[in-house]
Amino acid sequence: MELIEVSGKHLIDDFHKVPELIYRNDRNWIPQLRMMIEDTFNPDKNGRFQKGDAQRWILKNNGKLLGRIAAFYDDDYSSGYDQPTGCCGFFECVNNEQAAFKLFNAAAQWLKEKGMEAMDGPVNFDENFFFWGLLKDGFRPQTFGMNYNPPYYNRLFEAYGFKTYYDQYSYSLDITNPDLPERFWKIAEWVAKKPGYAFEHFSFKNQDKYLRDFIEIHEKAWGGHGNYKPIEFQLLKDLLSNAKIILEEEFIWYAYHNGKPIAFFMQILDFNQILKKLKTGSLNFWQTLKLLYYRRTKAITRCRVIVLGVVPGYQGKGIESAIFYHLKKVMLRKKWYNDMEMSWVGDFNPKMNAMFKSFGANRTQTHCTLRYLFDRDKEFVRAPIIE
């Protein structure tokens, strides 16, 4: 077996060919957008290279592709744990432990040389909205940005020595369903009309203002968690710019109290419903035209909630319900959207999981973030629970 560092167009092409080989007979698989992955590994488009680095490999045997992996770290992520922690991701491999271990070893050795003492995976060298976690159950076509993998990947990671750092749960909800709990909507309407509270959706025209409001909410809502990582304005703006095609302004909501931002909600379009029709993640001129055609003909019927956060002091007061009250009006007007996936919520966040269940949402799948400690004698500790 030959391990090859990825550099140059030919090897980058091979990197993207690996999943095509792994999933060629899997009807559930939907190709990831090549340009999105390449932006992840482009220092000019991914600000994490300012405080970190990344490397990719492919694995071949007699010229035949067997697998791929990437390793990466950035100071903001690595410094947030008991030991400096790097990451691996974009792992794809044939059902062969020797091949998988060779890929894991390459990532681990590279991270050790960078001063890391642990490796999380499979995750992304970007925000955890996209390509984060190993699928454990719910093997069906995934929504946009959610990882998919064959069931045997769980065995390969476990055999190497990875352990679950936390589970990630996803839920499904039809917000227009008249059978949703009546109490939920009564609370939602009451909060939505309370004096001093205001609810408004995002607009690209005033995006800088809304991005700063999001950063303020994000810091207050998640800052107390041990795994909190601050988000920089420019990184967020770059992410927004690259994601325009999967966004609708009326699907991104803010809540304010006396003019201060207190809550944020964001759902994206399930772009995978179009990629499944295109059967490729590499978009040429004609594929792009088809993409725009499907986008305009309402081929997307599902959305994916990626963020819902309320600052302390306003949690448990029905703010989330009030946001859904306003969002429901949008969904009723745009009736072709009939499914909402809420993904993902860590098992370390029992309050958020309980809240989604109270909405009448059904849990549909589980991913997990795994950790491998380089010191095999060190005690393994799971992610702390958010109180």
Side-chain angles (χ1 to χ4, degrees):
M1 294 182 187
E2 181 184 12
L3 193 69
I4 306 169
E5 288 190 5
V6 173
S7 62
K9 186 179 184 303
H10 177 69
L11 292 176
I12 290 174
D13 287 343
D14 282 348
F15 184 82
H16 290 281
K17 286 178 183 176
V18 175
E20 295 175 3
L21 298 172
I22 299 295
Y23 300 104
R24 61 179 176 267
N25 296 318
D26 191 333
R27 294 182 179 180
N28 288 326
W29 178 68
I30 300 171
Q32 297 170 342
L33 273 179
R34 173 170 174 157
M35 64 180 180
M36 191 174 180
I37 295 175
E38 286 309 303
D39 284 350
T40 299
F41 294 100
N42 185 342
D44 295 330
K45 294 188 176 182
N46 187 348
R48 278 170 175 71
F49 278 98
Q50 296 175 12
K51 298 181 181 180
D53 200 2
Q55 180 60 57
R56 291 185 278 179
W57 298 266
I58 57 172
L59 185 66
K60 288 186 175 183
N61 187 33
N62 295 324
K64 181 181 178 181
L65 287 166
L66 298 180
R68 74 178 194 185
I69 200 169
F72 31 84
Y73 75 94
D74 71 88
D75 292 343
D76 289 337
Y77 188 93
S78 67
S79 63
Y81 301 101
D82 293 339
Q83 67 286 312
T85 302
C87 302
C88 67
F90 300 99
F91 171 85
E92 304 287 359
C93 188
V94 296
N95 191 2
N96 180 294
E97 281 193 8
Q98 183 182 359
F101 287 11
K102 198 169 185 68
L103 291 167
F104 292 144
N105 285 338
Q109 183 59 41
W110 185 85
L111 288 170
K112 287 178 184 177
E113 292 171 359
K114 301 298 181 180
M116 300 297 107
E117 298 176 9
M119 175 169 67
D120 287 355
V123 299
N124 185 16
F125 192 38
D126 209 331
E127 292 301 323
N128 61 14
F129 308 144
F130 302 121
F131 311 138
W132 202 280
L134 186 71
L135 183 62
K136 292 173 64 175
D137 63 60
F139 291 90
R140 58 175 187 147
Q142 300 295 292
T143 51
F144 185 73
M146 293 296 287
N147 269 345
Y148 178 81
N149 53 262
Y152 70 80
Y153 278 20
N154 287 272
R155 177 178 52 79
L156 294 178
F157 274 86
E158 182 179 351
Y160 186 74
F162 281 92
K163 294 183 179 180
T164 297
Y165 187 53
Y166 54 80
D167 282 327
Q168 308 158 214
Y169 303 133
S170 296
Y171 298 83
S172 180
L173 175 70
D174 178 1
I175 195 173
T176 64
N177 185 348
D179 295 329
L180 287 181
E182 183 180 354
R183 178 176 175 275
F184 172 84
W185 291 119
K186 285 184 177 180
I187 293 174
E189 184 176 10
W190 176 70
V191 175
K193 295 179 179 179
K194 284 182 69 175
Y197 288 88
F199 299 84
E200 55 189 70
H201 66 75
F202 172 85
S203 73
F204 282 102
K205 181 180 179 180
N206 298 313
Q207 62 178 284
D208 285 4
K209 179 257 188 192
Y210 286 116
L211 291 178
R212 290 191 175 93
D213 286 349
F214 170 76
I215 291 173
E216 181 177 340
I217 295 166
H218 187 267
E219 181 179 354
K220 291 178 179 177
W222 288 282
H225 184 232
N227 297 329
Y228 170 72
K229 307 295 182 298
I231 296 181
E232 297 179 8
F233 176 83
Q234 192 56 49
L235 283 176
L236 194 59
K237 191 165 185 176
D238 291 343
L239 180 66
L240 183 70
S241 176
N242 294 333
K244 272 190 175 181
I245 197 167
I246 59 172
L247 299 179
E248 285 208 19
E249 293 180 337
E250 291 182 298
F251 284 174
I252 305 172
W253 282 84
Y254 289 80
Y256 298 87
H257 184 234
N258 295 330
K260 292 289 185 179
I262 60 169
F264 174 79
F265 169 93
M266 180 180 186
Q267 68 177 4
I268 61 175
L269 305 181
D270 182 14
F271 200 63
N272 273 3
Q273 290 183 305
I274 293 180
L275 293 179
K276 188 173 181 66
K277 294 177 181 292
L278 298 180
K279 299 180 180 179
T280 180
S282 300
L283 302 179
N284 57 28
F285 175 76
W286 295 110
Q287 295 287 3
T288 301
L289 286 182
K290 289 181 181 178
L291 180 156
L292 295 173
Y293 167 77
Y294 285 127
R295 176 75 168 82
R296 289 170 182 160
T297 55
K298 304 173 183 176
I300 298 177
T301 61
R302 185 165 60 180
C303 307
R304 178 188 161 209
V305 179
I306 60 174
V307 184
L308 174 57
V310 182
V311 304
Y314 293 92
Q315 295 172 0
K317 294 186 176 182
I319 304 300
E320 306 92 340
S321 303
I323 290 175
F324 275 74
Y325 172 81
H326 289 281
L327 181 65
K328 181 180 181 181
K329 296 178 182 179
V330 178
M331 301 289 277
L332 288 172
R333 185 161 30 89
K334 300 181 178 184
K335 295 181 181 295
W336 59 94
Y337 295 116
N338 55 29
D339 187 16
M340 176 189 294
E341 178 179 281
M342 295 178 283
S343 56
W344 47 266
V345 185
D347 63 1
F348 52 78
N349 194 342
K351 290 182 180 178
M352 188 66 73
N353 280 287
M355 182 182 68
F356 281 174
K357 291 176 183 177
S358 74
F359 291 170
N362 299 311
R363 201 168 97 188
T364 54
Q365 59 189 8
T366 306
H367 289 74
C368 62
T369 294
L370 303 160
R371 175 164 291 180
Y372 180 83
L373 299 175
F374 298 156
D375 180 355
R376 304 308 294 156
D377 294 325
K378 184 179 176 68
E379 181 185 6
F380 183 88
V381 180
R382 287 185 62 133
I385 301 295
I386 297 177
E387 299 296 339

